């Protein structure tokens, strides 16, 4: 008798391209929850509404147990006023309906260089600000249970 893959893991992460195509929809169908990353820029923040509608549709039609784990602000440049405004807008607009993680993933060169080097950000720059931010995110997710 085959044991479902889920039985062997605490977490299985599907990292999908930022589209609303068949691959992300299939990931939603197979998932218990969705962590929604959104860049601290105007267009990605606007597009997040479509993603959340798609998650809602998948929940209603195919996977009623699908939950939104939370919204994660990414690629945030602390020197950029627009990034602060976008983050604040996300927290105000979505914070009463969805969890918006306290952790914000900063923009950093190491995050762009790591995949090009075929490495995780932890292997490439384990003491860097992006790796530390992802560690905080992991703690935040685990603390929620």
């Amino acid at each position: 008798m085959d044991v479902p893959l889920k039985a062997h893991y605490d977490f299985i992460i599907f990292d999908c391209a930022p589209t609303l195509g068949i691959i992300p929809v299939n990931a939603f169908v197979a998932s218990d929850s969705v962590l929604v990353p959104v860049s601290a820029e105007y267009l990605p923040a606007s597009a997040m509404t479509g993603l959340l509608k798609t998650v809602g549709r998948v929940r209603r039609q195919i996977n009623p147990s699908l939950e939104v784990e939370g919204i994660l602000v990414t690629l945030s440049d602390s020197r950029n006023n627009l990034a602060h405004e976008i983050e604040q807008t996300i927290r105000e607009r979505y914070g009463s309906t969805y969890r918006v993680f306290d952790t914000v993933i900063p923009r950093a060169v190491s995050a762009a260089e790591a995949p090009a080097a075929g490495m995780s950000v932890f292997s490439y720059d384990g003491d860097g600000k992006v790796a530390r931010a992802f560690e905080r995110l992991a703690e935040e997710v685990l603390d929620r249970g």
Side-chain angles (χ1 to χ4, degrees):
M1 178 172 172
D2 289 328
V3 177
L5 189 62
K6 287 169 102 174
H8 296 286
Y9 298 94
D10 293 326
F11 294 94
I12 300 172
I13 298 173
F14 300 107
D15 184 5
C16 300
T19 68
L20 295 179
I22 192 71
I23 293 174
V25 169
N26 282 338
F28 298 157
V29 170
S31 297
D32 296 322
S33 67
V34 177
L35 188 149
V36 179
V38 60
S39 302
E41 298 169 347
Y42 178 74
L43 290 176
S46 298
M48 185 175 62
T49 303
L51 177 86
L52 292 170
K53 284 180 182 178
T54 300
V55 169
R57 242 185 331 271
V58 169
R59 182 184 311 121
R60 283 188 309 277
Q61 298 174 358
I62 304 169
N63 182 358
S65 64
L66 182 63
E67 299 289 331
V68 174
E69 184 74 29
I71 297 170
L72 175 66
V73 177
T74 66
L75 298 174
S76 183
D77 185 341
S78 61
R79 304 165 298 172
N80 181 329
N81 288 335
L82 180 61
H84 291 290
E85 290 173 19
I86 296 291
E87 178 185 348
Q88 188 62 35
T89 299
I90 289 169
R91 291 185 187 285
E92 289 170 2
R93 185 171 295 157
Y94 296 100
S96 62
T97 306
Y98 302 102
R99 175 183 189 192
V100 179
F101 289 100
D102 293 332
T103 301
V104 173
I105 308 298
R107 182 179 297 276
V109 172
S110 62
E113 291 175 343
M119 302 171 76
S120 74
V121 72
F122 297 102
S123 298
Y124 189 81
D125 186 19
D127 293 326
K129 64 184 181 179
V130 173
R132 288 193 315 266
F134 275 113
E135 288 172 353
R136 285 191 305 277
L137 173 64
E139 290 170 7
E140 206 173 337
V141 169
L142 290 172
D143 285 346
R144 183 172 184 204

